[in-house]
Amino acid sequence: MSSLLIERPLPHGGRLVERVIEDKRVARKIWKSCNAVYEIKPTLHYETGVPVRNVYREIMSICYGFFSPVEGSMKQAEVERVLKERRLLNEWIFPYPLIFDISKDDLNKLGVEVGDRLGLTLKGKPFAILDIEEIYEIDPEELAYKTFGDPETNPEVVQQKFDKKHPGWVIYRSHQPYVLAGKYTIINPPKLKPPFDRFWFPPRKSREEFEKRGWRTVINHQTRNVPHVGHEFLMKCAAFTGDVEPCHGILVNAVIGVKRRGDYPDEAIVEAHEAVNKYGYIKPERHLVSIVLWDMRYGNPLESLLHGIIRQNMGCTHHMFGRDHAAVGEYYDKFATQILWTKGIPSFGFPAPPTDVPYGLKIRPQNMREFSYCPTCKEMAYSETCGHKREKLSGSFLRGMVAEGVQPPSIIMRPEVYKVVVKWWKHFGYPFCNEKYVINKEKELEVDLEDL
Amino acid sequence: MAYFMVVLLDDSRMEKIKGTGLEEHIKYMFGGELRLLEVEVSEDLKNKILAEFETARVDSRGAITDVPVAFMRELFNQVVEKKSLGPEVVEGVLAKIGEIKEMAAKESEYLPPPEIEV
């Protein structure tokens, strides 16, 4: 093989974590060995009581290998190391603490101790187990601050102190104060509900799919949005990276989880991206839509690190990063993610980019600016190439247009994509996520479980 | 950064602004496929809007977006009433904040979808 050719990277940590038991007989035996059983509940906003996270999504993403090499709820020493150096105890880089938190009341009711096996039910059905290796207490507020950094400690990229307007900060602030640490194992694999089922490509399956399609190089497009034509051009043009030829595949990986009010519903997001290939704007042989279960923390450079880990685990060779990647507000520098992937951020434990540090990532960043409409060129144009005055495309502007019932011109949103938005608008009675959507979604979740 | 709010113009809205003198301020975007007016918003008014509406955002162009539809409808009414695109338009909208919030509370539950074949 030519030395110029890029090969599919190994999973982060060297091997895929897979902690899912498919054999029901084995699963029943394991379930019987549990010392106590706990029904998973959504994490509720510490002030408003609205759901902000469900730990089941973390368990799914850990056990199916999206977060390899993480295998469970982190021990105290590991959380401290992640917060200080963004590394796990086995040295591999990782951005966020992932923990199974529980209230004092629940801990007392369960009466579990280190060495016990806790059975976890979801929607009343057996789902997973947690083998308890450590029980400790946290201060959720301190955890929230330390997770995202602050302007004094991380002056390179953090611009303002985090607060309750930041949804990721709220997630950690809303954690319960006791942590059960240990490995998770799914013993009753949930079934993804339509339309999510056809987009479920956990790392082993996505790697097999890439192999089947002959995709040696694959660039990932992170999304939590319905695609406008600017996104479509971003995908098409970013894919011209690669090695001796453009990337063979474009993987759209949508983050499915608790949403912010005003975002599009997850159902519309995945089907709208699918419409891009279904109607030939990018041919389906080159474009695949997939999902990952995760309640976004909006940690800009830190979130990009997690995205890099997830997509490397899925088998991608490249990852596109834009301005304000996975950001909300002005907590971070607009280019914090691109700074991380080109120079590193020493105060977050990266004196060099995450691809250039020991136990780092192999996936290659493709830092992109933006596409907007150029009335002179009469086409979508790249900000760093086109020399004319362009009309910026903004997702928020489009949302406003949609809400007012104005169909966006096809030059900025494909009519088939708009139809998907209206399809789910008719279904939910609302084009975007509202409180009712968030509450129902967290009640019903994206999955169903069978009896064990 | 200069802030503004966009008022989209469909055919029925075009009728209403006829003769107001605002026609000459109409902007065309995306190869002429979209007509709109831009209403000026001061720093102070921008802060008030963001404080009043949790979903409101300022996008990369400096446009204030994601306010309730009721707000946007009243914005257009004020444009027509004041025959202006100056900050007094948003001031006029904010003067009716109670009424708008009441309507916004209902519209956060339901918005009628467009009648198109899906």
Side-chain angles (χ1 to χ4, degrees), chain A residues 338-353:
Chain A
Q338 304 198 352
I339 292 169
L340 172 70
W341 290 84
T342 51
K343 292 188 215 157
I345 303 174
S347 67
F348 275 134
F350 297 98

Side-chain angles (χ1 to χ4, degrees), chain A residues 260-261 323 373 391-392 394 396-397 399 401 403-404 409 411-412 418-419 425-426 429-430 434 436, chain B residues 8 13 28-31 33-34 54 57 59-61 65-66 107-108 110-114 116-118:
Chain A
R260 282 198 303 157
R261 276 188 283 169
R323 195 194 58 168
Y373 183 77
E391 292 165 356
K392 279 194 180 182
S394 118
S396 304
F397 176 55
R399 271 195 300 274
M401 202 182 299
E404 285 192 66
I411 190 72
I412 56 170
Y418 182 67
K419 278 187 177 181
W425 184 345
K426 288 183 174 178
Y430 205 73
N434 55 14
K436 188 173 153 200
Chain B
L8 299 171
R13 282 184 170 185
Y28 296 89
M29 286 181 79
F30 308 115
E33 291 195 50
L34 198 65
E54 201 189 310
R57 313 173 194 205
D59 76 10
S60 53
R61 305 165 304 152
T65 64
D66 295 82
E107 81 186 33
S108 70
Y110 178 78
L111 274 176
I116 64 162
E117 191 81 28
V118 295

